[in-house]
Amino acid sequence: MRVHKLTFAALAVAAGLSLTACQNDNAGTGQSDPLSPSSVSSSGGGSDSGSSDQGGAKNSAGTSSATNSGGTGTAAGTGSNANAKVGKCRTDELEITAKDNTIDGDPDGTVVVTLTNHSGRDCTVSGYAGVDLKTSAGSLSAKRTGQQAGSAILKNGKSTYFPVNYPFNKSGGSGVRITGLVVTPPDETKSVTLNWPGAATLPVTDGSGSPVKVGPVGSAGQGG
């Protein structure tokens, strides 16, 4: 009986060793039970993770696209505004000055009026400014020369010019005393009054027309 018990014990040990060897062989192949909890968890987690990532990418892309679209629209709108028609120069946006620019030998005197853009933006200025001389005999409006007036964009900080021509008083009399220069920029109604920098008097006329003429903006060079 003792021998049989030992034999059975040996067989049990051998069987246990054989079963362990088989299990180790399966582990070595890397195969696992597809229904094992770790396999389901990995598969399920991967699938859910993939679905979540893809959904997140789509949502992110959609949000990003909408944001970019809005940004592009804003940028385009800004560009459109930047490229829109430039507004005209307003009186309050211009620094207006005048100086005598008569050249020796000229038959008439010349005062050059300077318009400097200090608005902080570009603006358009074209045509004729309104020019009136304040005199001892009342207000005298300058007559346009009839020269073709062009349109130009006056850059911020830049200047443009126009001439005021007037006859010298060679009559020997006291003539008409000039007390001031009133300038109204083109297409504006607000005026500025400046000191008159030219000759002190104008000759007395018969009233047939203004002896003072004004050229269009841009028809005089820088200071002349």
Side-chain angles (χ1 to χ4, degrees), residues 126-176:
S126 62
Y128 285 81
V131 172
D132 296 280
L133 297 187
K134 288 185 173 182
T135 74
S136 56
S139 179
L140 176 65
S141 296
K143 182 180 179 180
R144 296 179 179 183
T145 61
Q147 184 178 346
Q148 181 67 37
S151 178
I153 294 177
L154 185 59
K155 297 289 185 180
N156 181 48
K158 300 299 182 180
S159 301
T160 189
Y161 313 83
F162 66 86
V164 178
N165 300 115
Y166 63 95
F168 293 119
N169 181 15
K170 299 178 181 180
S171 65
S174 59
V176 178

Side-chain angles (χ1 to χ4, degrees), residues 79-102:
S80 177
N81 289 339
N83 295 328
K85 186 176 180 180
V86 179
K88 67 180 180 181
C89 301
R90 299 291 185 177
T91 301
D92 291 336
E93 298 174 331
L94 298 170
E95 179 184 3
I96 305 175
T97 59
K99 73 173 185 178
D100 182 30
N101 200 62
T102 301

